[in-house]
Amino acid sequence: MTAPARTRSSAELIRAEEPVLAHNYHPLPVVVARAEGVRVEDVEGRRYLDLLAGYSALNFGHRHPALIEAAHRQLDRLTLTSRAFHNDRLAGFAERLAALTGTDMVLPMNTGAEAVESGIKVARKWAYDVKGVPDDRATIVVAADNFHGRTTTIVGFSTDETARRGFGPFAPGFRIVPYNDLAALEEAVDDTTAAVLIEPIQGEAGVIVPDDGYLAGVRELTRRAGCLFMADEIQSGLGRTGRTLAVEHESVVPDVVLLGKALGGGIVPVSAVVGRREVLGVLHPGEHGSTFGGNPLAAAVGTAVVELLETGEFQRRAEELGAVLRDGLAALTGKGVVAFRARGLWAGVDVDPALGTGREVSERLMREGVLVKDTHGSTIRIARR
Ligand SMILES: *Cc1c(COP(=O)(O)O)cnc(C)c1O
């Protein structure tokens, strides 16, 4: 018999994973057992500053008291109904989230990838029902170096060979253009285009911030072409960049916004597709669904997340602390930092390859009590509460 988990050391727990856990991740060798705010603690009681923030799933830090309280209250009343019945938390969540994001309608889902899949379905349905694209001809234009999740459809339009190789055949109907290139986008859009799907800032690619004017250009181009602008704000949204949505930096309003990660407050997976009634209204009963999407626990936590964002405190804080982060990184440029890109409390940092790979730098920072994650090559990514 194996010993109970709490009696095992970090090293023993890491070794225990190897034979029983699929090897689809290569985590840093730290075993987290407790957390609060920006601090996490490992099995041995060593404390770390969390500068990953769960890839933006922890925009309010670990176990924010208001979110934990909302979850506890809901756990004591009702946790799941399925959408076969109404539940008393969903209307309020949808109203508050629509108001926060300045739109009319919400399609609640669970994970980010599901929000992306749902957004693709909505865009295609809209193309056939509203735009009049011939059956099965709809196309969606995406950007190179995108990250939108891990389903077979989504990795099918990834340009990351590691994410794709071995998982085909893939769904057709996607066109890939370089990111931050309006001329290439213009070229790719035609009468069959349902939507342009992009990240306002490419997170996994290394926190790539497009040129000023790019997002406004995408908005203008999609309006002219009569297709939807679908912004994947799963990582960039909900306070991360100093605004509720990253598109607000260019005062842009997309037709469809995909949300996830922080929407679940670091407690439960909660995602959503939000957009205008003319777009999300294309779905009718039976055409799309999810057993867990919009469940009362998710709705209660999601509502508490929206309440935190309604105060504007987290957006302000991300902007103010983001300036400190930028100054710090600027001071390190030429002293180990080759280049960096930052917006709000979010940065991609290209470390001098002579200091090691992103992975090696992350491991060294871990030994100094700071948790970050590498992306590609010698780039690390920083996101904190
Ligand atoms: C994380 C992420 C996703 C996928 O979310 P999951 O919850 O992991 O499925 C999609 N898009 C972006 C931009 C993301 O950062």
Side-chain angles (χ1 to χ4, degrees):
M1 238 190 59
T2 36
R6 68 182 174 283
T7 68
R8 293 197 266 182
S9 70
S10 287
E12 285 166 334
L13 286 164
I14 290 169
R15 270 198 304 279
E17 286 185 359
E18 210 278 333
V20 288
L21 205 57
H23 297 171
N24 58 325
Y25 277 95
H26 179 35
L28 288 176
V30 55
V31 183
V32 176
R34 271 169 294 277
E36 188 167 349
V38 289
R39 299 278 165 192
V40 303
E41 200 177 303
D42 73 6
V43 171
E44 281 77 23
R46 287 181 289 256
R47 302 186 77 211
Y48 303 84
L49 178 66
D50 180 358
L51 289 191
L52 180 63
Y55 300 98
S56 285
L58 290 159
N59 286 2
F60 313 98
H62 293 270
R63 299 171 53 249
H64 188 287
L67 302 179
I68 293 295
E69 197 200 319
H72 275 154
R73 264 200 321 258
Q74 193 58 39
L75 280 173
D76 288 337
R77 288 181 41 217
L78 176 72
T79 55
L80 189 70
T81 51
S82 87
R83 295 288 302 277
F85 315 127
H86 298 270
N87 74 68
D88 68 345
R89 303 310 310 255
L90 191 49
F93 173 51
E95 285 166 351
R96 302 285 283 269
L97 183 60
L100 179 79
T101 53
T103 192
D104 320 314
M105 255 189 180
V106 172
L107 169 61
M109 299 297 289
N110 308 284
T111 66
E114 278 180 305
V116 174
E117 288 276 353
S118 304
I120 290 168
K121 287 175 75 174
V122 165
R124 286 177 171 171
K125 193 78 171 24
W126 175 87
Y128 301 127
D129 291 3
V130 180
K131 180 167 169 167
V133 172
D135 278 358
D136 291 341
R137 295 284 307 284
T139 54
I140 292 177
V141 182
V142 300
D145 301 319
N146 68 72
F147 183 86
H148 296 289
R150 299 294 198 165
T151 67
T152 50
T153 292
I154 294 170
V155 298
F157 59 82
S158 168
T159 56
D160 176 353
E161 269 310 299
T162 307
R164 286 169 55 86
R165 200 181 317 111
F167 301 119
F170 299 119
F174 297 93
R175 291 180 188 160
I176 304 172
V177 298
Y179 189 64
N180 197 23
D181 183 339
L182 287 170
L185 192 58
E186 179 101 56
E187 189 84 357
V189 167
D190 64 19
D191 290 348
T192 67
T193 308
V196 171
L197 165 64
I198 54 159
E199 299 156 82
I201 293 173
Q202 289 190 321
E204 302 298 309
V207 191
I208 307 298
V209 182
D211 295 340
D212 284 345
Y214 176 67
L215 299 174
V218 173
R219 176 65 284 183
E220 180 48 35
L221 194 161
T222 48
R223 203 191 313 278
R224 242 188 308 114
C227 66
L228 303 175
F229 177 8
M230 185 151 59
D232 182 345
E233 292 258 13
I234 290 167
Q235 194 165 161
S236 59
L238 306 181
R240 171 56 48 208
T241 68
R243 301 285 188 280
T244 302
L245 300 177
V247 287
E248 290 171 36
H249 289 282
E250 290 198 24
S251 307
V252 161
V253 181
D255 301 294
V256 177
V257 173
L258 309 176
L259 298 170
K261 292 200 166 102
L263 193 55
I267 300 175
V268 281
V270 185
S271 69
V273 181
V274 304
R276 291 195 319 281
R277 192 165 292 109
E278 305 95 88
V279 181
L280 285 188
V282 299
L283 292 180
H284 302 109
E287 291 174 347
H288 189 56
S290 159
T291 303
F292 290 96
N295 72 74
L297 180 61
V301 171
T303 303
V305 164
V306 172
E307 279 170 10
L308 291 181
L309 288 166
E310 282 168 352
T311 67
E313 175 199 331
F314 287 87
Q315 296 88 323
R316 224 166 17 249
R317 193 173 169 282
E319 178 140 54
E320 286 163 13
L321 279 178
V324 176
L325 173 64
R326 249 191 335 271
D327 289 350
L329 288 170
L332 287 172
T333 302
K335 299 178 193 147
V337 169
V338 175
F340 70 91
R341 300 154 298 279
R343 186 150 270 178
L345 271 176
W346 200 21
V349 183
D350 304 332
V351 178
D352 185 347
L355 294 177
T357 61
R359 171 74 188 197
E360 287 161 350
V361 171
S362 300
E363 288 183 2
R364 275 162 67 185
L365 283 167
M366 184 197 81
R367 289 193 288 274
E368 300 292 328
V370 176
L371 299 181
V372 298
K373 182 77 177 79
D374 54 302
T375 56
H376 305 281
S378 285
T379 301
I380 58 171
R381 156 232 323 257
I382 290 175
R384 68 160 279 177
R385 170 189 61 131

